[in-house]
């Protein structure tokens, strides 16, 4: 069964510190991997989308990495800010022909403390 | 440019009542989706549409119906609400499937008592 697993489930860090969130997936065939940020009470917002051939992608203080061989991805947040407090969801798009479904992880809830 | 909007934002229903959730997008996207988000679970696809006049079942379609009469609108209906349908519902749209980025609406929080 295609699955996306994220760790840790939740994380508390001090403002200004860095952190790394992990994502492992078993989705096959694979099309791309996405990281979304979801603020409380809001819809998910895309941070990065990476295809099979991309190892690293940055969006400001967010840097995502992808190892397609081990089926692992990470999201690194640099110099965290209070506004980074949110859930971060790893999503893998199934490959193949026809409709390509997204498989969502359950998210990592990040709290940045002052 | 409002992106993806959803109405209503909140709703409480009694078991057996019906309602329709409305999703609208102003990005001229072909693809639209309805998801539900439950605690401890990833978003799950209910129904989707690949264009005006077309709809298809997703992962958890039972108890829901949809319609896409206009390209910009995607309606989700609950004919006879059940407590198991208590959830947060998100609509999304994209230019294409697969590699296309999906833009999500703000969500509708539905409680069925």
């Amino acid at each position: 069964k295609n699955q996306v697993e994220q760790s840790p489930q939740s994380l508390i860090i001090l403002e200004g510190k860095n952190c790394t969130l992990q994502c492992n997936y078993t989705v096959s065939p694979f099309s791309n991997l996405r990281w979304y940020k979801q603020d409380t009470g809001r819809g998910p917002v895309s941070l990065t989308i990476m295809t099979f051939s991309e190892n690293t992608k940055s969006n400001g203080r967010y840097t995502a990495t992808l190892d397609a061989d081990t089926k692992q991805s990470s999201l690194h947040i640099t110099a965290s800010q209070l506004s980074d407090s949110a859930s971060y969801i790893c999503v893998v798009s199934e490959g193949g022909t026809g409709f390509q479904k997204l498989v969502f992880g359950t998210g990592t809830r990040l709290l940045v403390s002052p | 440019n409002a992106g993806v909007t959803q109405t209503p934002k909140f709703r409480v229903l009694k078991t057996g009542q019906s309602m329709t959730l409305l999703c609208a997008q102003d990005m001229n996207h072909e693809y639209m989706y309805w998801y539900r988000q439950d605690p401890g679970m990833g978003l799950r696809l209910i129904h989707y549409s690949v264009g005006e006049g077309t709809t298809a079942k997703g992962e958890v379609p039972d108890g829901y119906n949809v319609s896409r009469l206009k390209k910009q609108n995607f309606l989700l209906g609950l004919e006879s609400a059940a407590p198991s349908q208590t959830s947060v519902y998100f609509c999304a749209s994209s230019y294409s499937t697969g590699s296309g980025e999906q833009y999500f609406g703000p969500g509708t929080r539905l409680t069925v008592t």
Side-chain angles (χ1 to χ4, degrees):
Chain A
K1 182 181 177 182
N2 286 338
Q3 286 186 314
V4 175
E5 294 184 353
Q6 294 186 242
S7 62
Q9 275 191 321
S10 61
L11 182 63
I12 302 174
I13 63 173
L14 289 175
E15 186 179 9
K17 297 296 187 184
N18 304 335
C19 68
T20 300
L21 314 180
Q22 302 291 343
C23 173
N24 296 329
Y25 63 93
T26 60
V27 178
S28 181
F30 172 90
S31 176
N32 58 72
L33 185 143
R34 310 152 184 235
W35 283 94
Y36 282 87
K37 178 186 180 188
Q38 184 176 21
D39 292 315
T40 301
R42 309 288 291 270
V45 174
S46 179
L47 293 175
T48 63
I49 299 177
M50 289 185 292
T51 60
F52 185 88
S53 59
E54 295 175 293
N55 300 121
T56 303
K57 203 155 197 179
S58 292
N59 178 356
R61 294 179 296 101
Y62 300 102
T63 299
T65 64
L66 173 63
D67 185 335
D69 291 331
T70 62
K71 297 188 176 180
Q72 295 180 324
S73 176
S74 65
L75 181 69
H76 186 74
I77 304 175
T78 304
S80 61
Q81 300 176 358
L82 297 179
S83 59
D84 292 330
S85 295
S87 286
Y88 292 85
I89 304 173
C90 178
V91 185
V92 178
S93 177
E94 293 180 349
T97 59
F99 180 74
Q100 295 180 346
K101 177 188 148 187
L102 299 186
V103 183
F104 290 79
T106 56
T108 292
R109 187 178 295 273
L110 174 66
L111 176 62
V112 180
S113 176
Chain B
N1 191 338
V4 179
T5 58
Q6 293 182 232
T7 53
K9 286 187 169 50
F10 303 93
R11 186 72 187 268
V12 178
L13 287 180
K14 293 188 190 308
T15 298
Q17 287 185 320
S18 63
M19 77 163 294
T20 300
L21 283 67
L22 172 64
C23 175
Q25 53 95 4
D26 61 2
M27 296 174 280
N28 202 34
H29 286 164
E30 290 292 336
Y31 295 80
M32 295 188 75
Y33 316 82
W34 276 108
Y35 293 93
R36 60 179 287 172
Q37 186 175 40
D38 300 296
M41 302 185 74
L43 273 79
R44 292 180 292 168
L45 183 64
I46 304 172
H47 285 280
Y48 65 96
S49 168
V50 302
E52 181 179 316
T54 71
T55 63
K57 293 180 180 180
E59 190 181 348
V60 287
D62 293 342
Y64 305 96
N65 56 76
V66 289
S67 64
R68 182 105 180 264
L69 298 180
K70 293 183 179 181
K71 186 177 184 178
Q72 63 267 34
N73 295 339
F74 195 28
L75 277 62
L76 177 71
L78 286 73
E79 289 188 347
S80 180
S84 61
Q85 294 178 304
T86 293
S87 187
V88 181
Y89 292 86
F90 288 99
C91 176
S93 71
S94 66
Y95 179 73
S96 65
T97 185
S99 59
E101 180 170 340
Q102 289 192 16
Y103 296 85
F104 286 82
T108 294
R109 183 174 293 275
L110 174 67
T111 301
V112 183
T113 61

